[in-house]
Amino acid sequence: MKEHVEIPLREKNIVLIGFMGVGKTTIGQLVAKKLYRDFIDVDQEIEKKQNMPISLIFQKFGEDYFRKIEKEYIVDICTNTRLKVVSLGGGAYLQEEVRNACLSNCIVFLLDLSWDSWKDRMPLLVENRPLLKEKSMEEIEKLFIKRQNAYSLHNSKVSTNNLDPETVADEIVNSVKLTWSIYEPNQ
Ligand SMILES: Nc1ncnc2c1ncn2[C@@H]1O[C@H](COP(=O)(O)OP(=O)(O)OP(=O)(O)O)[C@@H](O)[C@H]1O
Ligand SMILES: O=C(O)C1=C[C@@H](O)[C@@H](O)[C@H](O)C1
Ligand SMILES: [Mg+2]
């Protein structure tokens, strides 16, 4: 078994979680830029590796296959990299192994958006998210509610209601820098 090495707080990957379309990709990119870190978007990297869009991966190989490669990739990032900003796909954090890997090695931020605000964003999202296609608003709301339990396991939560991506990214950066400035006094 691999020995657990405690990662210094300043070097931990920052992971963004939350429901489809809350802004993980958009805001993650900005946070990475502001902290001079590399950015990893798990969905985009899987699409590159598989050389096809996620909707086609779902169509050709099924959701279970997608979840398997998604989990393996995230566990690998969490255990073998540092100093990254990582945006997960919206459903990744539902997997227990993903949650454990993130919470043991990284700083996990939940991007929170109310259902009412999310509904306004829905038209932007439906095209590229296979899980939203052919679902009624009631079914999507049920999924939104059901997932909140898993998302509640995080290190910090940022509300994104009525805030532009720059403002949310600044809030995350400030919050991270605040934790970095706290240290044990010399006795
Ligand atoms: N704070 C915000 N205010 C308004 N629009 C936003 C905000 N954040 C993101 N958006 C818009 O919402 C859409 C979805 O954003 P994004 O792709 O970043 O979400 P995501 O959380 O990464 O979704 P997924 O879980 O599917 O990966 C994009 O069109 C983006 O421009
Ligand atoms: O919420 C989800 O289950 C998903 C969200 C997207 O980021 C993609 O990972 C995929 O469309 C599945
Ligand atoms: Mg995304």
Side-chain angles (χ1 to χ4, degrees), residues 12-171:
K12 285 188 174 190
N13 291 336
I14 294 165
V15 172
L16 304 189
I17 65 164
F19 196 65
M20 271 172 270
V22 293
K24 300 178 294 295
T25 300
T26 313
I27 292 162
Q29 259 164 342
L30 295 172
V31 172
K33 220 175 188 177
K34 288 171 193 284
L35 292 174
Y36 305 98
R37 287 186 174 202
D38 291 334
F39 174 62
I40 300 175
D41 185 84
V42 171
D43 284 338
Q44 288 170 3
E45 293 305 318
I46 290 175
E47 289 184 331
K48 273 192 232 157
K49 280 174 200 274
Q50 301 285 312
N51 199 22
M52 66 181 90
I54 285 172
S55 47
L56 198 56
I57 304 177
F58 269 64
Q59 214 178 300
K60 276 182 96 145
F61 305 112
E63 182 175 350
D64 287 354
Y65 173 77
F66 174 76
R67 295 301 174 200
K68 182 174 175 290
I69 53 176
E70 180 183 50
K71 177 183 72 191
E72 286 170 357
Y73 183 47
I74 296 168
V75 171
D76 180 41
I77 295 170
C78 291
T79 43
N80 297 316
T81 72
R82 296 177 182 202
L83 294 163
K84 312 284 183 207
V85 174
V86 186
S87 293
L88 300 195
Y93 209 67
L94 277 295
Q95 304 197 69
E96 193 181 359
E97 273 183 71
V98 168
R99 289 198 297 274
N100 290 342
C102 292
L103 290 166
S104 317
N105 300 289
C106 313
I107 303 173
V108 179
F109 276 88
L110 169 66
L111 298 189
D112 200 27
L113 187 65
S114 70
W115 172 246
D116 280 343
S117 304
W118 189 88
K119 272 192 298 187
D120 296 340
R121 209 175 285 177
M122 161 87 176
L124 297 172
L125 307 175
V126 114
E127 182 59 30
N128 302 318
R129 274 90 177 168
L131 290 185
L132 296 181
K133 278 192 181 147
E134 289 153 31
K135 274 205 175 69
S136 67
M137 234 15 181
E138 288 72 30
E139 287 170 315
I140 298 172
E141 186 177 11
K142 271 198 189 132
L143 186 67
F144 183 94
I145 293 166
K146 191 170 153 210
R147 285 186 170 185
Q148 300 307 318
N149 227 355
Y151 297 146
S152 71
L153 300 162
H154 54 256
N155 300 117
S156 190
K157 178 167 92 171
V158 187
S159 169
T160 68
N161 290 329
N162 306 314
L163 296 178
D164 62 54
E166 281 284 346
T167 307
V168 180
D170 283 337
E171 206 172 303

Side-chain angles (χ1 to χ4, degrees), residues 8-12 14 37 107 109 155-156 171-184:
L9 192 56
R10 278 169 178 268
E11 293 182 24
K12 285 188 174 190
I14 294 165
R37 287 186 174 202
I107 303 173
F109 276 88
N155 300 117
S156 190
E171 206 172 303
I172 293 171
V173 167
N174 291 341
S175 149
V176 162
K177 285 189 172 165
L178 195 66
T179 69
W180 288 348
S181 69
I182 292 170
Y183 49 85
E184 295 288 334

